[in-house]
Amino acid sequence: MPDDLWERIEPLLPKKERRFRYPGRRPVPDRQVLCGILYVLHTGIQWEYLPKELGFGSGMTCWRRLRDWNEAGVWQQLHEALLAELNAAGPS
């Protein structure tokens, strides 16, 4: 994922604080999960067949994060931000 695109998306993602007590396993970084989501959407494979060797986390991890981000309105916010940039650039 290009850095400039990630810089637009990252601020829109909800931050989930780890529990102080019994924090559990560290979550897969958002950027890696987003790459996994894009990989599944691009290839059309099923979530459970996402190869862990690619470093994106499991298919379920990617699916859950996609669900959470969708419920948080991340994609709508990104869409609106990109449209605003296009409108600000004016006609070519």
Side-chain angles (χ1 to χ4, degrees):
M1 161 158 314
D3 288 337
D4 60 330
L5 180 57
W6 177 245
E7 289 170 2
R8 289 180 177 138
I9 296 172
E10 186 180 24
L12 303 176
L13 300 177
K15 302 296 178 215
K16 188 173 182 183
E17 296 296 322
R18 290 183 75 198
R19 293 181 303 217
F20 177 73
R21 214 174 150 167
Y22 309 113
R25 185 181 308 174
R26 283 201 179 276
V28 179
D30 288 337
R31 189 172 185 167
Q32 287 175 239
V33 172
L34 181 58
C35 289
I37 292 168
L38 294 175
Y39 182 84
V40 168
L41 296 176
H42 178 72
T43 62
I45 65 170
Q46 295 178 11
W47 292 104
E48 64 258 23
Y49 296 128
L50 179 65
K52 290 184 182 179
E53 298 81 24
L54 295 177
F56 302 139
S58 72
M60 268 327 287
T61 295
C62 293
W63 180 84
R64 282 188 199 109
R65 207 80 61 93
L66 175 63
R67 176 200 62 198
D68 295 345
W69 293 345
N70 192 45
E71 289 173 359
V74 170
W75 310 119
Q76 182 65 32
Q77 292 173 31
L78 177 62
H79 180 75
E80 291 169 4
L82 293 175
L83 282 177
E85 284 183 32
L86 286 173
N87 286 334
S92 300

